Amino acid sequence: MSKTSRKQFFITSFSWMASLFLLEGGLGLVNRLSADKKNSTPIPGDAHPVLESDPTAKALGFHQDAKDTDFNLYPERKEPTAKNQFCKHCAQYTKLNERWGKCNIITSGIVSSNGWCSAWSKRS
């Protein structure tokens, strides 16, 4: 059995760790980017998404993704009856394409079809 110097041990260990990191991280990044491209629908025209920091949006607890809703502030969103409460099912929502639409209440931009705010009302 040959002796390995401390320097050679660290170089070999670092090489293996770097290879594993790049393999895992690189492939994961490629998969995420390709999934994002498949699922993304372009924003129509020169429109821009509503910022969650917009005063009206903030006052209504609006989020472009309903999963980000603060359940401590809006416990009703956590109830089973609210599982289909998304902008796309709201009476205030007008569809522009599969992913984006306009809201009659938050007018500073367009909203995601998977968004939510406390002004949600069932479409009749």
Side-chain angles (χ1 to χ4, degrees), residues 4-63:
T4 305
S5 69
R6 185 180 299 180
K7 181 179 178 181
Q8 186 60 39
F9 172 77
F10 284 119
I11 290 172
T12 304
S13 298
F14 179 75
S15 298
W16 277 105
M17 287 189 324
S19 297
L20 289 172
F21 176 77
L22 291 174
L23 183 62
E24 283 295 313
L27 291 176
L29 180 61
V30 169
N31 289 337
R32 279 193 306 263
L33 289 176
S34 64
D36 287 345
K37 281 185 180 180
K38 288 178 190 173
N39 295 332
S40 67
T41 304
I43 295 174
D46 61 344
H48 61 280
V50 170
L51 297 175
E52 293 177 4
S53 61
D54 176 77
T56 306
K58 200 170 191 171
L60 294 171
F62 173 75
H63 287 284

